[in-house]
Amino acid sequence: MSQSVLGGLGLGLGLDLNLDFSAVLLLLVTVCAFMIPVAVVLPPVPVRKSDALLQTHTRAGVARAKSALANQFGSEHAPRDGRPATVQSLLIYPVKSCRAIELARSRVLPQGLEFDRLFTFAQLKSPFPLSLDTAAQASSQHQWEFVTQRQFPRLATVKVDLWLPDEMKLRKQSMALTKEAFLILRFPWKEDGWRGLLSVLLAKLSRGVAAEPEMEILLPVDFPSAAEIKDKGYTFEDIKIWKEVVKALNMSTELPRELMLYLGVSNKLGLFRIDPAQLREVYRCAPHIDEAGYQPVTGFQDAYPLHLITLNSLQQFSEEVPKDDQLQELDVRRFRANIILSGVPAYDEETWKRARFKPGKSGLHNDAVFHVSCRTVRCKMPNVDPYTGDRHPREPDHSLRTLRDVDKGAPLNGCLGMQLTPLFEVDENPDPNPQSGSGLLGDDDPDDGRSAWIAVGMTVDVEKRGEHLYIKQ
């Protein structure tokens, strides 16, 4: 369209389109000056699931900037005369093998810390290899098997946020009070082409220059009702954890295909939720039912309800581990413990048989008691960096097997840390009129049975010592 035609059109509309370059530039600058503040305050980005939860819930946990593990490599964690060992940090892993959530306090239930290892990923596997004479029915059988960072190290980069209902926010929104909590799983994901470039731009606009695009998965924390299970298409199926098979709730319908591609899983990927009515019974080194007062149980933990590690033991071990560009420090998060202690003589915890955690400076008014069941026999998972998901080809697995082959029950295996089973006052001093609550998730009042609280700042009193001998599964 020629300039004369545009000019005529402008005159017909009562407009003067004979603008010079400086006028056009001034117009563009004015529009940008107006739009940029609007874009900063109200960025043109899609609303995320976590943005919606922010209106009614609060994210649980300690911010990384305020982590009690920021000084984990310091000398202050060595034992000091007259000072008891203390709880330095608490960690939970709501989804097995994914990123931890650091807490200042937590409730202790028979199966471990509340919200710990509620979910696990699994892959559908078929028998392999197959012989030529294998029956057709046998060759078509498939079984769900749990997966961890051992097979898929990128699980370490899947972040998990726990959102708990906030009474003040709910009242402000004029909404009914609820106990419903949620998990948000976040993993890095960028589409190819212009969509990927747009997702990068939107992520940086909404969450800062360092932000990368992510995909979110929303999961309910509470075990679904029968109606919800039917509506969502969940199913109860068997899943194999090491040598044990347990029936759990398959919630794979919640998983996007992108997660399987990101993790590099070639088989069908599943997500299972532990059924609080079908927890796994723990035997081997755990206390007998007569000693504990109840049958020890666990969820999707490897073997025992809780895992304890001490910073001084880790520091001493780390001094003997060869370092390189890929491994400069042994972050305690590599070992995926629940309770991290400070002020314990190196490896002294391996002589503990029963430990009582007292209030100390925690602000709590209760004790928490644990049966120290056995050493933690390590696999190769600590080779995976807990933030990048990069796997070291050798360490610390090699050093663990070489330097920490200390348990006759697990020859040629390295040990670091201890496995715990909770003990409860209700079993030490039975109530002549016991309540019906079990202390498990799903109870209307989980504090009416077997539960206690543990917090950073509690002190440790070792009530019993002895030898440990690991019993294999």
Side-chain angles (χ1 to χ4, degrees):
M1 191 177 289
S2 67
Q3 185 174 359
S4 60
V5 174
L6 285 172
L9 180 59
L11 290 172
L13 295 175
L15 300 173
D16 181 8
L17 296 182
N18 295 316
L19 302 175
D20 58 18
F21 175 77
S22 60
V24 173
L25 180 61
L26 179 61
L27 177 61
L28 291 175
V29 170
T30 302
V31 171
C32 289
F34 173 76
M35 292 302 297
I36 288 176
V38 173
V40 171
V41 177
L42 299 171
V45 295
V47 177
R48 303 188 303 164
K49 298 178 178 68
S50 51
D51 295 329
L53 281 176
L54 191 60
Q55 306 304 311
T56 55
H57 289 62
T58 295
R59 187 166 63 181
V62 178
R64 186 173 177 181
K66 297 181 179 179
S67 171
L69 297 175
N71 66 344
Q72 62 172 290
F73 307 112
S75 59
E76 61 267 35
H77 301 297
R80 298 184 181 182
D81 292 340
R83 295 187 183 182
T86 59
V87 177
Q88 180 70 20
S89 180
L90 299 170
L91 298 173
I92 58 171
Y93 312 84
V95 183
K96 189 177 182 68
S97 251
C98 293
R99 189 72 60 84
I101 299 174
E102 184 177 355
L103 302 175
R105 61 174 60 187
S106 175
R107 188 162 55 194
V108 182
L109 301 175
Q111 67 268 39
L113 297 188
E114 189 175 22
F115 307 118
D116 189 46
R117 273 91 169 188
L118 296 177
F119 293 86
T120 186
F121 288 110
Q123 61 177 336
L124 193 61
K125 300 186 70 175
S126 58
F128 184 85
L130 299 176
S131 62
L132 293 176
D133 59 351
T134 301
Q137 181 178 1
S139 63
S140 65
Q141 290 179 349
H142 294 76
Q143 183 175 47
W144 287 104
E145 292 188 11
F146 83 117
V147 297
T148 69
Q149 295 175 26
R150 284 174 281 267
Q151 303 101 318
F152 304 106
R154 276 192 171 183
L155 279 169
T157 65
V158 177
K159 301 173 184 175
V160 181
D161 298 326
L162 172 62
W163 291 86
L164 301 176
D166 188 312
E167 183 177 343
M168 295 297 293
K169 289 182 178 180
L170 289 166
R171 292 187 186 278
K172 188 176 180 180
Q173 298 285 343
S174 300
M175 298 178 65
L177 299 183
T178 178
K179 295 181 180 180
E180 194 172 19
F182 295 93
L183 293 179
I184 294 283
L185 278 58
R186 298 182 284 125
F187 63 96
W189 184 258
K190 186 180 74 171
E191 300 285 352
D192 294 330
W194 66 269
R195 288 188 177 87
L197 293 175
L198 180 60
S199 66
V200 171
L201 176 61
L202 295 179
K204 295 184 183 300
L205 279 174
S206 61
R207 304 194 303 280
V209 177
E212 296 295 337
E214 296 176 325
M215 184 168 286
E216 291 188 339
I217 304 171
L218 176 68
L219 299 174
V221 169
D222 292 336
F223 195 77
S225 65
E228 290 169 332
I229 290 172
K230 181 178 180 180
D231 181 61
K232 291 282 190 176
Y234 303 155
T235 56
F236 286 97
E237 298 187 52
D238 289 339
I239 175 175
K240 186 177 182 182
I241 304 176
W242 299 114
K243 297 180 180 180
E244 186 178 356
V245 176
V246 60
K247 190 172 292 293
L249 186 64
N250 186 343
M251 299 173 62
S252 303
T253 55
E254 302 291 348
L255 298 182
R257 180 173 177 271
E258 289 83 353
L259 180 60
M260 182 182 71
L261 297 175
Y262 174 72
L263 296 177
V265 181
S266 56
N267 295 339
K268 186 176 182 180
L269 181 67
L271 176 70
F272 282 78
R273 205 300 190 176
I274 194 71
D275 184 349
Q278 300 189 62
L279 295 170
R280 299 157 57 208
E281 294 186 348
V282 182
Y283 297 96
R284 296 196 285 162
C285 301
H288 189 269
I289 186 172
D290 293 336
E291 179 184 354
Y294 72 101
Q295 173 57 53
V297 291
T298 192
F300 282 135
Q301 291 85 343
D302 276 354
Y304 294 85
L306 294 108
H307 177 208
L308 174 147
I309 198 167
T310 72
L311 290 175
N312 196 38
S313 296
L314 178 58
Q315 287 179 0
Q316 180 161 318
F317 169 69
S318 179
E319 290 176 359
E320 302 179 82
V321 177
K323 306 299 192 303
D324 55 28
D325 292 341
Q326 292 178 271
L327 181 64
Q328 298 181 5
E329 295 282 3
L330 272 185
D331 192 309
V332 70
R333 296 175 184 88
R334 286 178 178 263
F335 298 88
R336 304 185 70 79
N338 297 115
I339 303 173
I340 300 171
L341 299 184
S342 174
V344 180
Y347 309 123
D348 183 66
E349 65 276 13
E350 296 186 356
T351 69
W352 300 357
K353 297 294 285 186
R354 178 185 169 108
R356 180 177 296 272
F357 288 55
K358 297 183 176 180
K361 297 181 179 179
S362 67
L364 297 181
H365 301 284
N366 67 273
D367 292 354
V369 184
F370 299 94
H371 177 274
V372 184
S373 302
C374 64
R375 293 182 178 91
T376 302
V377 178
R378 311 304 326 193
C379 61
K380 292 186 177 181
M381 189 182 293
N383 286 24
V384 178
D385 186 288
Y387 288 109
T388 66
D390 296 332
R391 179 161 47 201
H392 195 280
R394 184 178 175 87
E395 297 294 350
D397 175 65
H398 179 264
S399 294
L400 281 165
R401 293 176 183 273
T402 304
L403 304 172
R404 295 293 303 152
D405 180 8
V406 296
D407 196 308
K408 294 180 180 179
L412 305 179
N413 289 280
C415 299
L416 190 65
M418 303 301 291
Q419 299 289 312
L420 308 181
T421 303
L423 302 175
F424 299 101
E425 183 179 357
V426 67
D427 298 307
E428 293 181 344
N429 302 291
D431 189 338
N433 300 301
Q435 301 297 316
S436 60
S438 67
L440 303 180
L441 289 173
D443 284 352
D444 290 335
D445 183 8
D447 280 329
D448 64 359
R450 298 183 178 96
S451 69
W453 284 87
I454 187 172
V456 170
M458 293 185 87
T459 59
V460 183
D461 179 21
V462 181
E463 295 186 333
K464 185 179 180 181
R465 294 178 181 267
E467 297 289 333
H468 284 283
L469 181 67
Y470 184 79
I471 299 175
K472 294 183 178 180
Q473 189 173 29

